[in-house]
Amino acid sequence: MPDIVISEFIEPHAISQGLRGFDVHHDKTLVDQPEALKALLGESRALIVRNATPVTADVMDAGPNLVCIGRLGVGLDNIDVEAARARGIAVYPATGANAVSVAEWVIATAMVLLRGAYGSTLDVIAGTWPRENLIAGREIFGKRLGLVGFGSIARETALRGAALGMSVAAYDPFVAADDPAWTQPFGRVERLTLDEIVATSDVISLHVPLTAETRNLIDAGRLLTSKPGAILINGARGGIVDEAALAQALQEGNLGGAALDVFVEEPLSAAKAAVFVGCPNLILTPHIAGRSLEANERVSSMVVERVRAHLEGLAGA
């Protein structure tokens, strides 16, 4: 039986170099084979997953020798953290490893949505020259970037927004008012309430986990209070935004645009996606904001190093 089971995609060199000397079973199809996964965990000491493998109490019980779980990403909503804690199983996310990738996705989509000119390729090829329809695009310079949550990804986003001439504000009740994080290299980040962020920001970017408190945090009522023409971007977790309310806000012109990389249902089915049909100025991507080549390298290396250190630490104890 393997020492380490990996159920989703990981950079191959992270196994060949970072886990040399360990018996590793890597099969990215295990994410869709829960019983096969459990069968492999009988004597395994570590499990490494991304966001699509549910790591429930039952899965942990199938691996009585499990001592750690590596998460190739930052969100832990697919891992029963309380069950892991009760069993003495350490959980290692790749905190910060994909922050740059997500931050760049946020800023890039914000610029595309504000300018509104990048869907014209086929019209230009066809010779229709739709110039008059595209002259009302907006610059990102001088706009307010409002961050809901102010962790590592939000701070990377703030840095890039400020470099483009944006003013930056954030809401995060878990970052104290006197925390040095509010003073960034580019200057002070304004600390606001959630309602103030929504009401005054030109670009609202979400950076919070999905919890009971954040589910449908951005709902129909809150969307109605947004600044005219505001752009909403969610690269955090599905369920933080009420998707039907967002679609309605776009169709009725209460929002200037939106980008979603995460959804309540993933993969998003055609039936669930139907709510977005006809929505103007909308970008949908399939949970790839944190999946650049460079981020994959960093995430894989960080998790492997932490898992290896944990197993070697036990061996030397």
Side-chain angles (χ1 to χ4, degrees):
M1 298 290 281
D3 291 321
I4 302 169
V5 175
I6 305 174
S7 65
E8 297 183 65
F9 170 77
I10 188 171
E11 288 295 332
H13 76 86
I15 299 174
S16 61
Q17 298 176 29
L19 295 177
R20 188 181 294 116
F22 289 93
D23 182 2
V24 179
H25 184 96
H26 176 216
D27 180 356
K28 64 183 182 181
T29 70
L30 286 171
V31 64
D32 298 315
Q33 301 180 69
E35 294 308 313
L37 174 60
K38 286 193 237 183
L40 282 164
L41 292 176
E43 297 179 16
S44 300
R45 296 184 292 154
L47 171 64
I48 298 177
V49 302
R50 282 191 180 270
N51 67 302
T53 303
V55 187
T56 60
D58 285 347
V59 170
M60 295 178 212
D61 287 341
N65 296 317
L66 281 176
V67 294
C68 65
I69 299 167
R71 164 69 170 93
L72 296 161
V74 294
L76 297 176
D77 39 296
N78 62 311
I79 299 173
D80 189 333
V81 176
E82 289 303 317
R85 185 178 294 115
R87 289 159 176 77
I89 300 172
V91 178
Y92 294 110
T95 304
N98 64 357
V100 168
S101 181
V102 178
E104 289 189 358
W105 178 87
V106 170
I107 295 299
T109 53
M111 294 180 77
V112 168
L113 290 166
L114 285 167
R115 196 61 182 264
Y118 299 101
S120 62
T121 300
L122 294 179
D123 289 331
V124 172
I125 290 172
T128 60
W129 203 246
R131 191 174 186 222
E132 291 303 312
N133 297 331
L134 302 174
I135 59 175
R138 293 176 286 167
E139 299 174 353
I140 202 167
F141 180 85
K143 301 297 185 292
R144 166 171 273 182
L145 172 62
L147 301 164
V148 180
F150 198 47
S152 61
I153 295 175
R155 294 172 200 182
E156 290 287 350
T157 305
L159 184 65
R160 284 153 181 78
L164 290 167
M166 303 185 83
S167 63
V168 183
Y171 161 73
D172 195 323
F174 300 103
V175 181
D178 59 354
D179 193 299
W182 296 107
T183 303
Q184 293 291 305
F186 55 80
R188 184 83 181 163
V189 174
E190 190 174 2
R191 187 172 185 260
L192 299 179
T193 67
L194 175 59
D195 288 339
E196 288 170 334
I197 289 287
V198 173
T200 65
S201 298
D202 299 288
V203 177
I204 305 164
S205 185
L206 307 181
H207 299 275
V208 294
L210 179 63
T211 65
E213 290 73 28
T214 63
R215 187 174 297 279
N216 288 332
L217 185 70
I218 306 299
D219 58 10
R222 193 153 267 137
L223 287 168
L224 285 173
T225 70
S226 63
K227 185 175 180 179
I231 302 296
L232 177 68
I233 299 177
N234 186 14
R237 280 292 177 268
I240 297 168
V241 176
D242 182 326
E243 294 171 0
L246 172 65
Q248 183 176 356
L250 287 168
Q251 290 163 348
E252 295 179 354
N254 294 328
L255 271 182
L260 301 179
D261 185 55
V262 289
F263 305 89
V264 174
E265 176 187 282
E266 293 186 9
L268 185 64
S269 67
K272 290 290 186 181
V275 70
F276 298 115
V277 173
C279 289
N281 212 23
L282 173 66
I283 294 174
L284 304 179
T285 55
H287 206 146
I288 49 77
R291 292 288 298 274
S292 64
L293 289 174
E294 296 85 352
N296 286 337
E297 292 274 352
R298 289 191 298 268
V299 165
S300 298
S301 296
M302 179 183 289
V303 170
V304 160
E305 286 170 9
R306 291 178 173 178
V307 167
R308 183 183 188 98
H310 190 97
L311 295 181
E312 290 180 339
L314 290 176

